[in-house]
């Protein structure tokens, strides 16, 4: 692995990281004080240069920030979510913020409307992860503490598929960029499971290797059968589920729970992660630098 570019943010424990879909090297990170149990949160917007990582913008919120995503139609706009049940809309072109705050908790919203468009009910426990389908308009997946993966449709505002995917809480899910029927889940049972939505009676693959709960899983934007996962075992692991020996590489460069993970949309080899050890890292794992 190439040496990681690292930024330490004292007193801030990382929960989520996401590369900008517009600007190469720009990264957003959602973090919280006191491991997210108490205190405030911070949204960090970072840029890469020859000397490493530098903070471009830093925004504080009065509760912990636990996730972040970039707008797909404005390179300056991000959304975060916090422990007080609200969503915050931020503009990196402005040094202060947020632009707006939405307090409807788990519901969908449109920033031009100011309140939610639809409410989706059905899960029986906390929802940890949602992801839009990159293939099917208005379709998204959700993963929950009720041990199910659910597929939803905006057109019907109802659930299309309910998959009892694990026998423990499911903390993360992602949709394959190359296969509209393939969704992966990561759970407290330390396993990753792939689901073909045409036949959900059993997973099409199961990946084992993590020793504690899997916090986040992401499919590669560049390789159809490659994905990455991070865990409470402090590691990030890279997998190719099409291979007999699917574990490609294990990265051990954190000293606490690794919660945030993303793969660059611009660089086929670049990965970012963040951890409770107060560090954010960008690096190129060997397995992504070697073809095949």
């Amino acid at each position: 692995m190439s040496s990681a570019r690292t930024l330490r943010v004292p007193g801030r424990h990382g929960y989520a990281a996401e590369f900008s879909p517009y600007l190469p090297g720009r990264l957003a990170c959602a973090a919280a004080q006191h491991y997210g149990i108490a205190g405030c949160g911070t949204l960090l917007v970072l840029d890469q240069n020859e000397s490493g990582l530098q903070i471009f913008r830093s925004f504080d919120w009065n509760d912990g920030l636990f996730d972040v995503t970039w707008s797909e139609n404005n390179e300056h706009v991000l959304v975060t979510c916090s422990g007080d049940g609200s969503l915050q809309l931020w503009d990196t072109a402005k040094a202060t913020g947020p632009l707006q705050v939405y307090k409807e908790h788990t519901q969908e919203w449109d920033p031009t409307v100011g309140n939610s468009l639809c409410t989706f009910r059905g899960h029986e426990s906390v929802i940890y992860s949602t992801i839009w389908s990159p293939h099917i308009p208005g379709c998204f997946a959700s993963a929950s503490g009720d041990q199910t993966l659910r597929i939803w449709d905006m057109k019907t505002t109802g659930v299309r598929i309910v998959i009892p995917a694990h026998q423990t809480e499911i903390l993360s899910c992602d949709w394959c960029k190359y296969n509209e029927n393939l969704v992966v889940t990561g759970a407290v049972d330390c396993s990753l499971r792939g689901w073909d939505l045409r036949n959900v009676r059993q997973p099409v693959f199961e990946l084992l290797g993590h020793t504690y709960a899997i916090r986040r899983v992401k499919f590669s934007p560049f390789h159809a059968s490659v994905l990455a996962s991070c865990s409470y075992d402090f590691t990030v692991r890279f997998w190719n589920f099409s291979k007999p020996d699917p574990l490609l590489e294990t990265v051990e460069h954190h000293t606490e729970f690794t919660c945030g993970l993303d793969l660059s949309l611009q660089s086929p080899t670049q990965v970012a992660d963040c951890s409770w050890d107060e560090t954010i890292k960008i690096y190129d794992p060997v397995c992504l630098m070697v073809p095949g």
Side-chain angles (χ1 to χ4, degrees):
M1 185 182 76
S2 67
S3 59
R5 296 180 177 184
T6 302
L7 180 71
R8 180 172 295 278
V9 188
R12 294 294 183 273
H13 304 107
Y15 267 93
E18 186 169 293
F19 282 106
S20 165
Y22 296 99
L23 301 174
R26 179 159 289 183
L27 180 75
C29 178
Q33 278 186 308
H34 308 302
Y35 305 96
I37 298 168
C40 69
T42 302
L43 169 62
L44 298 155
V45 181
L46 311 179
D47 283 330
Q48 298 179 64
N49 57 30
E50 296 75 18
S51 59
L53 297 178
Q54 289 189 332
I55 296 175
F56 171 71
R57 287 275 190 263
S58 178
F59 303 101
D60 288 328
W61 186 246
N62 55 16
D63 209 317
L65 296 180
F66 298 111
D67 213 344
V68 61
T69 192
W70 291 89
S71 165
E72 294 187 1
N73 60 16
N74 187 323
E75 68 184 48
H76 302 294
V77 173
L78 307 98
V79 179
T80 53
C81 66
S82 66
D84 59 14
S86 68
L87 301 171
Q88 303 80 33
L89 192 72
W90 308 90
D91 185 347
T92 62
K94 297 178 170 60
T96 59
L99 291 177
Q100 293 189 40
V101 177
Y102 303 92
K103 188 78 184 282
E104 294 194 33
H105 196 45
T106 58
Q107 301 173 355
E108 294 298 309
W109 53 271
D110 181 337
T112 62
V113 174
N115 53 21
S116 64
L117 298 173
C118 303
T119 301
F120 298 84
R121 302 189 189 279
H123 278 297
E124 297 168 9
S125 184
V126 60
I127 299 162
Y128 287 106
S129 176
T130 58
I131 183 74
W132 287 107
S133 167
H135 312 279
I136 308 164
C139 186
F140 65 96
S142 60
S144 169
D146 66 11
Q147 307 176 7
T148 68
L149 170 71
R150 299 182 187 229
I151 309 299
W152 308 81
D153 190 346
M154 285 281 290
K155 298 184 192 72
T156 62
T157 66
V159 65
R160 286 177 54 183
I161 306 171
V162 179
I163 306 167
H166 297 260
Q167 292 182 305
T168 57
E169 290 193 302
I170 306 169
L171 303 184
S172 186
C173 63
D174 197 24
W175 214 299
C176 181
K177 279 68 170 177
Y178 294 88
N179 183 340
E180 68 177 27
N181 296 303
L182 185 59
V183 178
V184 66
T185 52
V188 172
D189 62 10
C190 310
S191 74
L192 295 158
R193 291 178 179 172
W195 301 94
D196 185 330
L197 300 181
R198 296 165 297 187
N199 182 355
V200 298
R201 284 176 294 183
Q202 61 185 25
V204 290
F205 64 79
E206 182 176 54
L207 305 174
L208 302 173
H210 282 294
T211 56
Y212 284 95
I214 294 166
R215 186 64 182 84
R216 204 172 295 262
V217 59
K218 291 283 182 81
F219 275 109
S220 168
F222 292 96
H223 307 281
S225 57
V226 171
L227 53 87
S229 56
C230 66
S231 166
Y232 293 154
D233 66 11
F234 306 174
T235 71
V236 177
R237 296 176 192 242
F238 296 87
W239 314 81
N240 186 332
F241 61 80
S242 69
K243 295 196 171 187
D245 185 7
L247 181 60
L248 300 175
E249 187 173 346
T250 301
V251 174
E252 302 177 82
H253 60 192
H254 287 292
T255 57
E256 256 294 358
F257 291 173
T258 307
C259 297
L261 174 67
D262 198 26
L263 285 76
S264 171
L265 295 170
Q266 276 104 2
S267 166
T269 64
Q270 199 164 80
V271 177
D273 62 39
C274 63
S275 166
W276 279 13
D277 64 11
E278 305 179 343
T279 65
I280 305 161
K281 295 178 184 282
I282 296 180
Y283 55 100
D284 299 272
V286 172
C287 66
L288 299 184
M289 298 169 73
V290 180

